[in-house]
Amino acid sequence: MSSNVIQHGVIYGVISAVSAFLMYNGMLNSMILSGIGLIVFIVILISAGKKYKAENGGYATMGELVKTFALVLIIGLLISSLFQFAYTMTMSEEKKDNFIETMVESQTSMMGSLIPEEQLGEMEDQLYEQLSGMFNPSTIIMNLLIGAIFSVLISLIPAAIMKKTRQEFT
């Protein structure tokens, strides 16, 4: 594994862990966090891709870039997931309940104008049920796996844009 992959993976993981900390402590809402996360995701991948190409004479195949991006993302997701696991295991039940309450209120206020009142109540109950399990280790692991698959699929886009193969003449 190259230093490029490790460096960018650690940067992505630390930024993701800090973002999670801010979200759990009510300093960022999930919508802002999603936007920031997407921007960080793209910037990290482009930076890793540029460095990979610079180390290889300006060339990189799509496969090489996807492999580099996947490793960067997996390292970052592992760091972030380990932090979230450790942090949520040490959170008090009161803090967990407050976090879930804030998330449910945010979602219901956002959907309030789009959904009839009776459906909004059902949605609120479903959200409480779904979010109450988010602090379980199995949920954190499942989110890591889903995040890894999603990230690798999304990384295909910048890999396709950044690829540059050598022209071979026969």
Short mmCIF file of all heavy atoms in Angstrom, two decimals, residues 2 11-12 16 19 26 29 36 47 52-54 56 105-106 112 129 131 133-134 138 153 155-157 163:
data_model
loop_
_atom_site.label_atom_id
_atom_site.label_comp_id
_atom_site.label_asym_id
_atom_site.label_seq_id
_atom_site.Cartn_x
_atom_site.Cartn_y
_atom_site.Cartn_z
N SER A 2 0.58 2.17 -0.87
CA SER A 2 1.44 3.34 -1.00
C SER A 2 1.16 4.38 0.07
O SER A 2 0.11 4.40 0.71
CB SER A 2 1.23 3.96 -2.39
OG SER A 2 0.01 4.65 -2.44
N ILE A 11 -6.48 11.13 6.24
CA ILE A 11 -7.10 12.46 6.18
C ILE A 11 -8.62 12.33 6.09
O ILE A 11 -9.36 12.99 6.82
CB ILE A 11 -6.54 13.29 5.00
CG1 ILE A 11 -5.08 13.65 5.24
CG2 ILE A 11 -7.39 14.54 4.75
CD1 ILE A 11 -4.37 14.24 4.03
N TYR A 12 -9.09 11.46 5.21
CA TYR A 12 -10.53 11.26 5.04
C TYR A 12 -11.15 10.72 6.33
O TYR A 12 -12.22 11.16 6.74
CB TYR A 12 -10.79 10.31 3.86
CG TYR A 12 -12.25 10.10 3.56
CD1 TYR A 12 -13.06 11.16 3.18
CD2 TYR A 12 -12.83 8.84 3.67
CE1 TYR A 12 -14.40 10.98 2.90
CE2 TYR A 12 -14.17 8.65 3.40
CZ TYR A 12 -14.95 9.73 3.02
OH TYR A 12 -16.29 9.54 2.76
N SER A 16 -13.87 12.68 8.64
CA SER A 16 -15.15 12.00 8.88
C SER A 16 -15.42 11.83 10.37
O SER A 16 -16.54 12.00 10.83
CB SER A 16 -15.17 10.63 8.19
OG SER A 16 -15.07 10.79 6.80
N SER A 19 -16.36 15.20 11.80
CA SER A 19 -17.74 15.51 11.38
C SER A 19 -18.75 14.74 12.22
O SER A 19 -19.77 15.29 12.63
CB SER A 19 -17.94 15.17 9.90
OG SER A 19 -17.10 15.93 9.10
N GLY A 26 -24.44 17.99 18.29
CA GLY A 26 -25.40 19.01 17.87
C GLY A 26 -24.80 20.25 17.25
O GLY A 26 -25.47 21.27 17.16
N ASN A 29 -25.98 19.81 11.65
CA ASN A 29 -27.10 18.91 11.40
C ASN A 29 -26.76 17.96 10.27
O ASN A 29 -25.78 18.16 9.54
CB ASN A 29 -28.41 19.69 11.16
CG ASN A 29 -28.45 20.40 9.82
OD1 ASN A 29 -27.88 19.95 8.84
ND2 ASN A 29 -29.14 21.53 9.79
N ILE A 36 -21.12 18.64 3.33
CA ILE A 36 -19.69 18.74 3.61
C ILE A 36 -19.01 17.42 3.30
O ILE A 36 -17.92 17.39 2.71
CB ILE A 36 -19.44 19.16 5.08
CG1 ILE A 36 -19.90 20.60 5.30
CG2 ILE A 36 -17.98 18.99 5.46
CD1 ILE A 36 -19.91 21.02 6.76
N SER A 47 -7.50 14.62 -5.08
CA SER A 47 -6.13 14.80 -4.59
C SER A 47 -5.34 13.49 -4.67
O SER A 47 -4.19 13.48 -5.14
CB SER A 47 -6.16 15.32 -3.16
OG SER A 47 -4.86 15.43 -2.64
N TYR A 52 -1.40 10.13 -7.47
CA TYR A 52 -1.10 8.84 -8.10
C TYR A 52 -0.59 9.07 -9.53
O TYR A 52 0.41 8.48 -9.94
CB TYR A 52 -2.34 7.94 -8.13
CG TYR A 52 -2.05 6.60 -8.75
CD1 TYR A 52 -1.57 5.55 -7.97
CD2 TYR A 52 -2.21 6.38 -10.11
CE1 TYR A 52 -1.27 4.32 -8.54
CE2 TYR A 52 -1.92 5.17 -10.68
CZ TYR A 52 -1.45 4.13 -9.90
OH TYR A 52 -1.14 2.92 -10.47
N LYS A 53 -1.28 9.92 -10.27
CA LYS A 53 -0.86 10.20 -11.65
C LYS A 53 0.52 10.84 -11.69
O LYS A 53 1.34 10.51 -12.55
CB LYS A 53 -1.90 11.07 -12.36
CG LYS A 53 -3.15 10.29 -12.73
CD LYS A 53 -4.24 11.18 -13.30
CE LYS A 53 -3.86 11.76 -14.63
NZ LYS A 53 -4.99 12.48 -15.25
N ALA A 54 0.79 11.75 -10.76
CA ALA A 54 2.10 12.43 -10.72
C ALA A 54 3.21 11.43 -10.44
O ALA A 54 4.31 11.54 -10.99
CB ALA A 54 2.09 13.52 -9.65
N ASN A 56 3.20 8.43 -11.41
CA ASN A 56 3.27 7.48 -12.53
C ASN A 56 3.35 8.18 -13.88
O ASN A 56 2.75 7.72 -14.86
CB ASN A 56 2.07 6.54 -12.47
CG ASN A 56 2.14 5.62 -11.28
OD1 ASN A 56 2.93 4.69 -11.26
ND2 ASN A 56 1.34 5.90 -10.26
N GLU A 105 -36.87 15.32 15.07
CA GLU A 105 -37.46 16.65 14.90
C GLU A 105 -37.00 17.29 13.58
O GLU A 105 -37.79 17.92 12.88
CB GLU A 105 -37.07 17.55 16.07
CG GLU A 105 -37.80 17.26 17.34
CD GLU A 105 -37.32 18.10 18.52
OE1 GLU A 105 -36.52 19.04 18.30
OE2 GLU A 105 -37.75 17.82 19.64
N SER A 106 -35.73 17.13 13.26
CA SER A 106 -35.20 17.68 12.02
C SER A 106 -35.90 17.07 10.81
O SER A 106 -36.31 17.79 9.89
CB SER A 106 -33.70 17.42 11.96
OG SER A 106 -33.18 17.76 10.71
N GLY A 112 -42.69 17.98 7.08
CA GLY A 112 -43.99 18.44 7.56
C GLY A 112 -44.87 19.06 6.50
O GLY A 112 -46.08 18.85 6.49
N GLU A 129 -37.99 4.34 15.82
CA GLU A 129 -37.64 2.92 15.83
C GLU A 129 -36.32 2.67 15.10
O GLU A 129 -35.45 1.95 15.58
CB GLU A 129 -38.77 2.11 15.18
CG GLU A 129 -38.59 0.62 15.30
CD GLU A 129 -39.77 -0.13 14.70
OE1 GLU A 129 -40.92 0.31 14.90
OE2 GLU A 129 -39.52 -1.14 14.02
N LEU A 131 -33.87 4.91 14.35
CA LEU A 131 -32.73 5.60 14.95
C LEU A 131 -32.32 5.03 16.30
O LEU A 131 -31.17 5.17 16.70
CB LEU A 131 -33.02 7.10 15.07
CG LEU A 131 -33.12 7.86 13.75
CD1 LEU A 131 -33.58 9.29 14.00
CD2 LEU A 131 -31.81 7.82 12.99
N GLY A 133 -31.76 2.08 17.03
CA GLY A 133 -30.79 1.01 16.84
C GLY A 133 -29.47 1.48 16.27
O GLY A 133 -28.55 0.68 16.07
N MET A 134 -29.33 2.78 16.01
CA MET A 134 -28.12 3.27 15.33
C MET A 134 -26.86 3.20 16.18
O MET A 134 -25.76 3.30 15.67
CB MET A 134 -28.33 4.69 14.82
CG MET A 134 -28.30 5.75 15.89
SD MET A 134 -28.56 7.40 15.25
CE MET A 134 -27.01 7.72 14.45
N SER A 138 -23.63 -3.73 15.66
CA SER A 138 -23.98 -4.37 14.38
C SER A 138 -24.44 -3.33 13.36
O SER A 138 -24.14 -3.44 12.17
CB SER A 138 -25.06 -5.43 14.58
OG SER A 138 -26.23 -4.85 15.11
N LEU A 153 -18.57 2.52 -5.51
CA LEU A 153 -19.38 2.77 -6.72
C LEU A 153 -19.30 4.23 -7.14
O LEU A 153 -19.14 4.53 -8.33
CB LEU A 153 -20.83 2.36 -6.47
CG LEU A 153 -21.09 0.87 -6.33
CD1 LEU A 153 -22.55 0.60 -5.99
CD2 LEU A 153 -20.71 0.14 -7.62
N SER A 155 -16.88 6.24 -6.53
CA SER A 155 -15.51 6.56 -6.95
C SER A 155 -15.27 6.21 -8.41
O SER A 155 -14.27 6.64 -8.98
CB SER A 155 -14.50 5.84 -6.05
OG SER A 155 -14.48 4.46 -6.31
N LEU A 156 -16.15 5.45 -9.01
CA LEU A 156 -16.02 5.15 -10.44
C LEU A 156 -16.11 6.42 -11.29
O LEU A 156 -15.48 6.51 -12.34
CB LEU A 156 -17.09 4.15 -10.88
CG LEU A 156 -16.97 2.74 -10.30
CD1 LEU A 156 -18.20 1.92 -10.66
CD2 LEU A 156 -15.70 2.06 -10.75
N ILE A 157 -16.88 7.40 -10.83
CA ILE A 157 -17.07 8.63 -11.61
C ILE A 157 -15.77 9.42 -11.72
O ILE A 157 -15.32 9.69 -12.84
CB ILE A 157 -18.22 9.47 -11.01
CG1 ILE A 157 -19.54 8.70 -11.11
CG2 ILE A 157 -18.33 10.84 -11.71
CD1 ILE A 157 -20.67 9.28 -10.31
N LYS A 163 -8.85 9.19 -15.62
CA LYS A 163 -7.97 8.19 -16.24
C LYS A 163 -7.25 8.77 -17.45
O LYS A 163 -7.76 9.64 -18.15
CB LYS A 163 -8.76 6.95 -16.65
CG LYS A 163 -9.67 7.18 -17.82
CD LYS A 163 -10.39 5.94 -18.23
CE LYS A 163 -11.28 6.31 -19.40
NZ LYS A 163 -11.89 5.25 -20.05
#
